[in-house]
Amino acid sequence: MVDYKFLLASILKQLDEGILVVDTDANVTFYNEPATNIAGITPEIAIGKNILEIFPDLTPETSTFYNVLKNKEPIIDYVQTYMNFQGKKVSTVTSTIPLMKKGELVGALEIYRDFTQVKELSEKISNLQSQLFKKNGTEKIYKGNGTVYTFEDIIGESSGIKKLKEKALKIADSSSPVLVYGETGTGKELLVQAIHNASRFRKNKPFIAQNCAALPKSLLESILFGTASGSFTGAKDKPGLFELADGGTLFLDEINSMDIELQGKLLRVLQDGIIRRVGGTNTITVDVRIIASTNEDPLKAVEKKILRQDLYYRLNVINLNILPLRERREDIPMLINFFINMYNKKLNKKVKDISAKTMEALCSYIWPGNVRELKYALESTMNFIEGDIIALEDIPQHIFNGMKQGQTIRLESARPEDIPPLSEALDRYERELIQKAIENTNGNCAKAARLLKIPRQTLHNKVKKYKIMWQTKI
């Protein structure tokens, strides 16, 4: 028989989120808070108090609990800033749902997590961008365009890279939207910055990048479109990224992770070039070139209904596909030499070369993390190496593990039956990485996602895909 009380206690212990339950009068009946102490109150004090007593600067109009109890409709991923019980300003992402029993409302439940640091960081970035790209009268004064890469930084001589650079150069001066497809680590932003800097009309204007998977819908919307004073608790008149990128390029990374409703608003901007701040009534005309990227096949994203079909058609006017490193292995030696020279300067090393055996091993490894993984593998190697020649034993351990598990192929001597399907090899490696991350974080989902540097929802999806069992030690 399942011990549900023990199970619930185990779940609550692992959560990074806080949980609040109120009755129909918005009085607290249950309260569980992680170590972050977001609400600034203990369960003993919280139980029995009205939610407005705990958060005194909220009102029945601005409280998510009061709104849910009144309308009996859930509010999902709502970002708000307020004073907690101790008078400390905090920002949270909350999901509040009505609790129904036999058709009758009996209360509401809210799950919330701390977003203070992320919101403060986004405001600092927004303010910095505003200072860099601020307008003075009718003239724009730019102190920099927000980029570091040009086409010269795209390393490779393979036919795939040459064709990509030729195609990208042809459309640099165009104002048409661009959709870039490439696996994680292939260098999508590098390519996009190169396009921006090759444009005669936009290279002296701002380049702004935003990862669509990093923020919940409500916060991402306000960052993209800006906010009008009073649109939500603590909101001020603030320009969004569309306004800050006026005349330049706005790069929307992982567009397939953007909320479907928000994708519809983006489509309208692409069609008419007009935006409206969140909570505002005035329309603003902007001249921004949109370049979006996806780390999975766009057509598959459309089939899975995570990318709107009409938005796909609008973005796909120009499409650029960056090949994964395993499909352009002839570029690996050139990249390795480039990174050796780079880290010799950065780390004050004097590495002269790499052994033939080591080069062969690195060229035959499948590089699931692509150029980014190669770059950081070389950085790790260069930090620890003592000699001036990179040997096989200098390679990071996970590369060795990949070789032992058959994830490298000696192409000149491999038998056809020894070569596994590429998708199968990639899935196996990804599954093993996720399992290792879960083990190393004792089954803590949030920590595992941070370790893998992927959104938590992406981790949940992959755990479900590979049917991985969570292993938590209590």
Side-chain angles (χ1 to χ4, degrees):
M1 184 176 177
V2 179
D3 186 344
Y4 289 104
K5 187 174 181 181
F6 169 77
L7 182 61
L8 177 61
S10 301
I11 293 171
L12 292 176
K13 184 178 179 181
Q14 294 298 321
L15 288 179
D16 279 0
E17 294 86 355
I19 299 176
L20 268 169
V21 179
V22 300
D23 58 22
T24 53
D25 295 320
N27 295 322
V28 177
T29 59
F30 178 85
Y31 171 63
N32 180 76
E33 170 89 14
T36 47
N37 192 26
I38 304 165
I41 191 172
T42 62
E44 292 78 15
I45 299 175
I47 301 298
K49 286 188 179 296
N50 186 274
I51 200 69
L52 298 184
E53 294 181 69
I54 298 177
F55 306 113
D57 69 330
L58 293 179
T59 67
E61 289 74 29
T62 58
S63 166
T64 51
F65 272 119
Y66 272 84
N67 277 279
V68 167
L69 291 172
K70 178 182 177 181
N71 301 318
K72 300 180 182 178
E73 293 289 337
I75 299 175
I76 306 299
D77 283 347
Y78 180 72
V79 179
Q80 56 181 345
T81 301
Y82 51 87
M83 295 292 181
N84 70 5
F85 190 71
Q86 296 177 348
K88 179 183 177 183
K89 186 179 179 181
V90 295
S91 295
T92 60
V93 181
T94 63
S95 289
T96 314
I97 59 174
L99 296 176
M100 310 296 291
K101 187 175 183 180
K102 296 181 180 180
E104 294 292 325
L105 181 72
V106 296
L109 176 147
E110 183 168 278
I111 300 173
Y112 60 94
R113 63 183 184 274
D114 190 16
F115 217 68
T116 306
Q117 290 183 335
V118 175
K119 192 167 188 297
E120 288 176 352
L121 179 60
S122 71
E123 289 178 350
K124 287 178 182 178
I125 292 172
S126 181
N127 290 333
L128 177 60
Q129 290 168 334
S130 183
Q131 291 173 20
L132 289 173
F133 309 129
K134 64 184 177 181
K135 298 178 181 180
N136 181 9
T138 58
E139 295 183 3
K140 300 182 183 72
I141 300 175
Y142 302 102
K143 298 180 181 177
N145 72 356
T147 67
V148 292
Y149 299 116
T150 67
F151 278 106
E152 293 179 358
D153 296 300
I154 300 178
I155 308 299
E157 289 295 329
S158 62
S159 60
I161 283 295
K162 286 181 178 178
K163 288 177 182 178
L164 176 67
K165 291 169 75 170
E166 289 172 3
K167 190 175 180 181
L169 272 167
K170 285 181 180 179
I171 56 89
D173 282 336
S174 172
S175 60
S176 298
V178 181
L179 183 60
V180 179
Y181 164 48
E183 294 179 5
T184 299
T186 50
K188 294 185 288 293
E189 184 166 350
L190 188 156
L191 174 66
V192 176
Q193 287 192 20
I195 292 171
H196 176 83
N197 283 323
S199 170
R200 290 173 295 170
F201 313 113
R202 298 183 185 273
K203 65 181 180 181
N204 294 321
K205 306 294 177 64
F207 173 92
I208 296 177
Q210 175 61 53
N211 188 308
C212 300
L215 301 170
K217 173 199 166 188
S218 53
L219 184 54
L220 179 59
E221 182 177 5
S222 63
I223 286 177
L224 289 176
F225 295 99
T227 55
S229 181
S231 56
F232 57 85
T233 305
K236 300 176 182 179
D237 278 315
K238 183 174 291 186
L241 299 187
F242 276 103
E243 290 178 68
L244 295 175
D246 189 27
T249 303
L250 179 58
F251 173 45
L252 300 176
D253 193 16
E254 296 191 45
I255 191 74
N256 50 308
S257 297
M258 180 184 284
D259 178 82
I260 288 292
E261 183 182 343
L262 192 52
Q263 288 184 27
K265 295 181 179 181
L266 172 61
L267 179 62
R268 288 196 293 274
V269 178
L270 283 165
Q271 290 171 339
D272 55 30
I274 295 174
I275 65 165
R276 186 168 61 194
R277 292 183 181 180
V278 175
T281 56
N282 297 328
T283 57
I284 303 167
T285 301
V286 291
D287 171 25
V288 178
R289 186 182 197 183
I290 300 296
I291 302 182
S293 76
T294 173
N295 54 12
E296 67 174 303
D297 188 324
L299 287 174
K300 289 184 179 179
V302 171
E303 289 175 8
K304 290 161 63 176
K305 301 188 184 302
I306 57 174
L307 178 63
R308 285 178 60 126
Q309 190 174 43
D310 48 5
L311 179 60
Y312 165 71
Y313 291 140
R314 187 69 188 96
L315 288 171
N316 204 49
V317 171
I318 299 171
N319 67 82
L320 300 173
N321 183 8
I322 307 178
L323 293 176
L325 193 54
R326 63 183 175 275
E327 293 183 21
R328 53 183 187 99
R329 294 179 184 275
E330 59 266 47
D331 290 333
I332 293 177
M334 185 180 292
L335 285 163
I336 289 173
N337 289 328
F338 174 81
F339 291 134
I340 288 175
N341 291 331
M342 182 177 78
Y343 288 119
N344 268 335
K345 295 175 182 177
K346 277 191 175 183
L347 304 175
N348 196 27
K349 297 284 184 175
K350 296 181 179 179
V351 174
K352 297 177 181 177
D353 205 351
I354 180 169
S355 72
K357 192 174 182 180
T358 308
M359 181 66 82
E360 180 187 4
L362 294 179
C363 287
S364 59
Y365 180 65
I366 64 171
W367 296 110
N370 292 292
V371 179
R372 181 184 293 132
E373 185 184 8
L374 175 62
K375 176 183 177 182
Y376 294 141
L378 264 297
E379 182 178 4
S380 174
T381 299
M382 296 283 284
N383 266 285
F384 292 104
I385 194 169
E386 294 181 356
D388 58 3
I389 304 292
I390 297 177
L392 204 55
E393 57 267 24
D394 297 317
I395 297 175
Q397 189 63 43
H398 79 275
I399 306 290
F400 267 126
N401 293 340
M403 295 174 192
K404 291 176 183 177
Q405 293 162 11
Q407 292 172 345
T408 57
I409 303 166
R410 295 179 181 272
L411 296 176
E412 66 277 0
S413 59
R415 297 174 300 171
E417 60 268 26
D418 293 334
I419 302 176
L422 185 59
S423 60
E424 179 185 309
L426 285 173
D427 285 350
R428 182 172 66 240
Y429 183 71
E430 187 172 57
R431 188 180 194 279
E432 289 168 355
L433 280 180
I434 292 171
Q435 285 180 315
K436 182 62 68 175
I438 291 172
E439 291 172 8
N440 289 345
T441 58
N442 193 27
N444 187 302
C445 178
K447 290 180 180 178
R450 288 195 292 270
L451 183 64
L452 292 165
K453 294 181 174 61
I454 59 175
R456 187 162 51 174
Q457 187 58 51
T458 300
L459 177 59
H460 276 299
N461 293 340
K462 290 184 182 294
V463 166
K464 186 177 180 180
K465 172 185 175 181
Y466 297 123
K467 299 179 181 178
I468 297 173
M469 297 296 293
W470 289 101
Q471 296 181 2
T472 306
K473 298 177 183 178
I474 305 299

